[in-house]
């Protein structure tokens, strides 16, 4: 499915605001770039590259909230065949786009020791004023990794 074919489906299912469609389209463009950067440069260099992006000041009018952004990035990764879109990839794309929109987002990684499976980790984005998503609460160690 091409991006142009998918936009109407996204706007029907998720949100209809033009800002959400723009955010989703940029996420679709950024997804393979972030996946390639992680594979070739590693996490630290990819994060440093994202943090060098110009951060819009003040917050861009119509900037997406946390839930809309999560839905847009998930939609963008579903359109790419061959991209897994694991939590770290999705969080880095969302973090980069929030920065470009002037939203003071933070990239967070949480870790929990699993008795039967070793260590379980998860990456997500937090935005001031938005309640953290409940699925991450059981994590024992939480580290903000963005600057």
């Amino acid at each position: 499915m091409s991006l142009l074919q998918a936009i109407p489906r996204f706007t029907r299912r998720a949100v209809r605001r033009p800002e959400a469609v723009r955010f989703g389209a940029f996420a679709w463009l950024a997804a393979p770039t972030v996946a390639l950067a992680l594979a070739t440069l590693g996490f630290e260099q990819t994060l440093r590259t994202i943090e060098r992006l110009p951060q819009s000041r003040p917050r861009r009018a119509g900037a997406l909230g946390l839930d809309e952004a999560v839905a847009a990035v998930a939609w963008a990764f579903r359109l790419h065949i061959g991209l897994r879109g694991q939590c770290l990839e999705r969080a880095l794309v969302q973090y980069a786009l929030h920065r470009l929109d002037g939203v003071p987002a933070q990239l967070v990684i949480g870790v929990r020791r699993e008795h039967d499976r070793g260590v379980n980790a998860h990456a997500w984005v937090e935005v001031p004023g938005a309640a953290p998503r409940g699925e991450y609460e059981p994590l024992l160690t939480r580290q903000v990794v963005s600057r």
Side-chain angles (χ1 to χ4, degrees):
M1 171 182 317
S2 76
L3 177 63
L4 293 177
Q5 293 170 323
I7 286 175
R9 279 182 62 194
F10 172 66
T11 56
R12 278 194 309 271
R13 288 188 176 172
V15 289
R16 291 185 165 80
R17 294 190 323 130
E19 296 86 357
V21 174
R22 181 196 61 82
F23 195 96
F26 279 121
W28 183 82
L29 292 169
T33 305
V34 167
L36 181 62
L38 280 171
T40 58
L41 303 174
F43 171 72
E44 288 183 24
Q45 185 62 36
T46 301
L47 181 60
R48 280 196 297 267
T49 301
I50 288 171
E51 289 182 337
R52 283 193 295 256
L53 292 172
Q55 188 166 5
S56 176
R57 299 211 193 264
R59 183 177 176 146
R60 190 172 189 273
L64 264 61
L66 189 60
D67 289 335
E68 283 182 303
V70 168
V73 170
W75 167 81
F77 271 95
R78 279 194 302 271
L79 291 178
H80 283 286
I81 306 275
L83 284 184
R84 295 186 326 236
Q86 297 297 324
C87 61
L88 183 59
E89 295 167 336
R90 291 190 317 261
L92 284 167
V93 167
Q94 183 179 344
Y95 175 61
L97 294 177
H98 277 312
R99 284 181 59 81
L100 291 171
D101 279 350
V103 175
Q106 294 181 325
L107 179 66
V108 181
I109 295 178
V111 180
R112 170 180 64 216
R113 180 166 295 279
E114 299 280 334
H115 297 291
D116 57 340
R117 295 186 303 184
V119 175
N120 186 17
H122 190 59
W124 68 93
V125 173
E126 290 183 354
V127 175
R133 298 170 65 87
E135 61 194 86
Y136 313 127
E137 290 174 6
L139 297 169
L140 298 178
T141 303
R142 176 186 171 282
Q143 179 67 45
V144 176
V145 295
S146 59
R147 295 181 190 126

